[in-house]
Amino acid sequence: MTTDTHKGKKGDVLLEMKNITIDGFSDEKWHPIIKGVDLTLKRGEVMGLIGESGAGKSTLGLAAMGFARPGCKITGGSIDFDGHDLINATEDELRALWGTRIAYVAQSAAASFNPAHRLLDQTVESTLDGGLQTANAAQSDARELYASLQLPDPDNIGDRYPHQVSGGQLQRMMTAMAMSSRPDLIIFDEPTTALDVTTQVEVLVAMRDIVERFNTAAIYITHDLAVVAQMADFIKVLRYGEEVEEAETRQMLSAPTEDYTKSLWSVRALEKPENISNDTVLEIKNVDAAYAGTVKVLHDVNIKIARGTTVAVVGESGSGKSTTARVITGLLPPLTGETLFNGEPLPPALKDRSKDQLQRIQMIYQMADTAMNPRQTVAEIIGRPLEFYHGLRGRKKQDRILELLEMIELDQTFYDRLPSELSGGQKQRVCIARALAAEPEVIICDEVTSALDQIVQEGILRLLLRLQKEYNITYLFITHDIAVVQAISDEIVVMYQGGVVEQGPKSVVMSPPHPDYTQLLLSSVPEMDPDWLSNLVDGRG
């Protein structure tokens, strides 16, 4: 284990940020995005940062490291980290702290790992660079962290490359990498966004245990109020780069003082009436699938999707949800079985499908960071399917792009922005617009709301439902968010270990009695109660 020579006493002030102002560059000028925010954090404390997409949560969290993203600059205030002036520190001084005493767990693990290096090597890199452990000790410790974070085959999973594990597993790998040096401060930026509810429980328990065991301070950035209730000692609410209020977690949950905070607390799932139809638009029949032709990841999967309905596919990380989507889109030809579209078999491989077949089935990917070309503007990203499928150019294409931006609640100022200038929620909305640009019959939504706060999430779900009603679009909605399932689904498919456990109308699947696995999923949904996680763990023994 790492020797903690720099650790102070629990309760000592570790981080003090005063009157922080940060500007961002867009539309050829600088704009304030953090406006005079204070933050004080003691050793062993967890501060939850919440607020809408674009509120400045991640920007403030990164500033706690003395870091500003490209296109941003810290323009005022002071940041003291255990006696280190992070505002005036040199790059070498900051790099000596990053990865060893201050660690960061990003929202998108897929965009943060080097695809050319094995996961174990990346996990221990900071620990070795900082001279904190020998290679053997660091690797042994990393395997212990993998086990504590409920990663499968913890002794060997580190030998894989990033593309060989699921999104949820990769997110846990990034958490292990941050924890490996036993830092004084960890900034968790939506660390459980990509996780299913059963895995999220295990990861939250592991993170809380590490924080308590090693007297680590943490800033926990999230839009999930129920999750922050389990992790944070205090909650700070941000909006438009300003502090709305801050309070101890129990006080904040029971009696928020500001109207905006109350509005966050009061967001409720939509209650879409269940729509039952016998007009099948898409059918997956007897599908087996494997990656690299080796171990099967899908086993005799059968799913029917009715036109104009929403079928939600739920299950833990690695259950086969996204693999099923890849089979449907032709990205992974099945070993056996077929996909029928309007009663006609689709060519198994994407390269063999016609332009018309490609247009009619579109996909919105889970990780917006890796789904967009970072060098293309929003207009170029949305405009490509308009040209490819509809032949739009010039003013007609421009007008349609602006219409699509309006549909996803982004104004025309986003037209020339690059992905790096967007928040996580804004990136995902651009991906939604790109799919809509093709005017498809079926849209496969792979965790499309997982990066969005509740207010924006509700707006996106209402948008998707309105589009479904107006254009009779069919959705296959892959998600681990049971609240989203309850809000928008007509039918539910529950998957586990590559097979279908249960499927049927929402009213049937959500009503007891449940199969054991469905019951486990439903019982793992966090509640707005700071004691929920502890009680759940105690109840499961």
Side-chain angles (χ1 to χ4, degrees), residues 99-312:
T100 53
R101 298 196 61 190
I102 306 175
Y104 177 72
V105 178
Q107 180 177 353
S108 176
S112 303
F113 277 89
N114 188 324
H117 293 280
R118 297 183 189 275
L119 291 164
L120 182 60
D121 294 336
Q122 296 187 66
T123 301
V124 302
E125 182 177 6
S126 293
T127 302
L128 296 182
D129 286 350
L132 302 177
Q133 289 180 306
T134 65
N136 286 339
Q139 291 175 1
S140 177
D141 185 51
R143 295 185 182 101
E144 290 181 24
L145 285 169
Y146 294 162
S148 70
L149 289 165
Q150 302 296 309
L151 282 160
D153 193 13
D155 288 338
N156 299 301
I157 194 171
D159 295 330
R160 300 183 191 177
Y161 291 93
H163 71 277
Q164 294 176 312
V165 300
S166 70
Q169 290 166 353
L170 200 58
Q171 197 70 23
R172 282 177 278 169
M173 280 286 183
M174 191 169 190
T175 303
M177 182 165 58
M179 292 176 171
S180 64
S181 64
R182 304 298 185 267
D184 296 89
L185 172 64
I186 301 180
I187 292 93
F188 291 109
D189 194 349
E190 301 277 11
T192 61
T193 291
L195 305 182
D196 61 85
V197 289
T198 55
T199 305
Q200 178 176 253
V201 167
E202 304 297 344
V203 173
L204 288 174
V205 169
M207 289 192 300
R208 200 167 68 175
D209 176 63
I210 293 270
V211 166
E212 292 175 356
R213 212 170 3 133
F214 297 101
N215 195 27
T216 304
I219 295 174
Y220 199 100
I221 300 163
T222 184
H223 62 261
D224 192 324
L225 305 179
V227 166
V228 81
Q230 314 311 315
M231 291 297 297
D233 301 298
F234 296 86
I235 295 175
K236 184 186 292 287
V237 182
L238 297 179
R239 190 185 192 195
Y240 303 143
E242 298 180 309
E243 179 178 319
V244 176
E245 63 176 307
E246 178 185 326
E248 187 270 339
T249 297
R250 291 181 186 275
Q251 178 185 338
M252 182 77 82
L253 293 174
S254 61
T257 60
E258 300 297 321
D259 289 341
Y260 174 69
T261 307
K262 294 174 184 177
S263 75
L264 291 177
W265 264 232
S266 65
V267 171
R268 294 290 181 264
L270 311 176
E271 291 297 334
K272 171 191 171 184
E274 194 172 272
N275 177 21
I276 304 298
S277 170
N278 294 319
D279 180 12
T280 301
V281 64
L282 193 67
E283 184 175 4
I284 302 98
K285 293 184 66 175
N286 309 118
V287 164
D288 288 3
Y291 288 106
T294 53
V295 180
K296 282 187 182 179
V297 290
L298 293 182
H299 309 274
D300 194 27
V301 171
N302 291 272
I303 301 172
K304 279 188 177 182
I305 302 170
R307 191 180 310 279
T309 66
T310 300
V311 174

Side-chain angles (χ1 to χ4, degrees), residues 33 57-58 104 110 117 140 202 270 348 361 398 430 444 452 512 515:
I33 53 178
K57 306 185 297 295
S58 295
Y104 177 72
H117 293 280
S140 177
E202 304 297 344
L270 311 176
I361 302 176
Q398 179 180 336
V430 171
I444 300 171
L452 307 179

Side-chain angles (χ1 to χ4, degrees), residues 416-431:
D416 291 318
R417 293 192 191 181
L418 294 168
S420 61
E421 299 175 286
L422 307 178
S423 70
Q426 289 163 351
K427 290 175 186 175
Q428 194 60 283
R429 281 182 274 175
V430 171
C431 289

